[in-house]
Amino acid sequence: MGTEAWVGTGESVAPGQSVEFVNLAVSGAQTRDVLERQLPAGSALRPDLVSVVVGVNDTLRCTFDIHAVAARLDTVYGAFAEQGAVLLTACLPDPGGALGLPGALARPLARRQRAVNAVVHALSERYGAVHLHAAQGAWLTDRAMWSADRLHPGERGHRQLALRFHAVLTEAGLATGPAPSPEPEFPAPTASASLWWLATAGTGWVARRCADLFPQLLTLAAEELRHRARGTSARLDLRASAAVSAALAALSVAERRPDAA
């Protein structure tokens, strides 16, 4: 569920057993999409194991709200936990760094992604999820791991994620099969193919982000530069941390209410 599928096979988790793999992931999905569309479909399947990896697309919208992200993820995680499903989650790298944006533009996006990751960490612990720290590691800077858009892993990157998920599942005693192969099955896209993607689908993506996020991102960058000039950049980090704390505290208050849904 979310935006990415896990590259691997059921044999890596439960060798010799019949395993059905259903991929509900949709490119561009936000936490709202997972809550409103993927959760009902996923719950109806009564899964034994479900991965919910989402959040980067939320940070790339002018509507980003960490309180809303936290509330949606809390509902999704809680619904699957209540069904008894093993929940897989992951924190993700910041998109500004992946895209190679200038510092003043990249830092606000990184701050947003850290906020999402903090929420995912906290809620993963709350619901006993098997959590992968996918925002760390040398693989993040290896260009061979990424697709042409630099935001989504290519096949080699997906296989690296599969290996890491298999490791944490094995550590939790939930995977007994051999680890999936790290070697791609298909050749990497050629430079011409990557350029073609950038010239076609990539231009549409840039146009959509320019209409949606870019004006706000310029405002955030200007604020970033003002604080750096004054030596008060720490205030921006403190403000983001306070927003995460408030979002998680609001969830705790809602749980204590007798009439909480």
Side-chain angles (χ1 to χ4, degrees):
M1 302 180 69
T3 59
E4 295 298 336
W6 175 23
V7 174
T9 66
E11 285 296 313
S12 299
V13 179
Q17 298 184 30
S18 176
V19 176
E20 181 182 4
F21 177 78
V22 179
N23 180 16
L24 300 176
V26 177
S27 180
Q30 301 175 57
T31 52
R32 180 186 297 278
D33 300 301
V34 174
L35 174 63
E36 297 178 354
R37 303 175 186 176
Q38 297 179 22
L39 174 59
S43 296
L45 295 170
R46 305 291 299 185
D48 297 305
L49 182 149
V50 59
S51 65
V52 181
V53 181
V54 67
V56 170
N57 285 312
D58 289 79
T59 69
L60 295 174
R61 301 299 193 277
C62 65
T63 54
F64 177 75
D65 180 356
I66 194 60
H67 289 75
V69 168
R72 293 167 191 154
L73 289 178
D74 184 57
T75 300
V76 173
Y77 290 3
F80 284 116
E82 188 175 351
Q83 286 187 338
V86 174
L87 181 64
L88 299 181
T89 63
C91 56
L92 299 170
D94 74 271
L99 290 169
L101 296 178
L105 295 174
R107 281 189 291 271
L109 294 181
R111 195 173 290 111
R112 286 182 172 187
Q113 190 59 51
R114 286 197 299 270
V116 173
N117 287 343
V119 165
V120 170
H121 277 292
L123 294 182
S124 295
E125 183 175 352
R126 174 181 295 184
Y127 291 107
V130 178
H131 182 70
L132 176 66
H133 297 275
Q136 302 170 348
W139 74 283
L140 296 176
T141 57
D142 185 350
R143 188 68 186 87
M145 296 290 179
W146 299 89
S147 62
D149 65 7
R150 298 191 180 186
L151 278 176
H152 298 92
E155 184 187 358
R156 188 178 292 276
H158 273 119
R159 288 183 176 276
Q160 184 64 221
L161 288 173
L163 280 168
R164 289 166 175 259
F165 266 124
H166 184 271
V168 294
L169 284 166
T170 300
E171 184 179 352
L174 296 170
T176 56
S181 171
E183 295 304 317
E185 183 178 350
F186 303 100
T190 63
S192 59
S194 297
L195 287 173
W196 176 252
W197 182 91
L198 290 171
T200 55
T203 55
W205 185 89
V206 171
R208 290 191 296 273
R209 293 290 70 79
C210 285
D212 176 16
L213 174 67
F214 198 59
Q216 183 189 53
L217 188 56
L218 289 178
T219 300
L220 294 173
E223 182 181 33
E224 192 82 31
L225 291 172
R226 284 197 303 271
H227 277 278
R228 285 182 66 84
R230 298 169 183 169
T232 57
S233 295
R235 293 182 183 177
L236 297 173
D237 295 326
L238 290 172
R239 188 168 68 190
S241 296
V244 170
S245 298
L248 294 173
L251 297 179
S252 300
V253 170
E255 286 182 353
R256 293 196 297 267
R257 291 174 183 164
D259 59 343

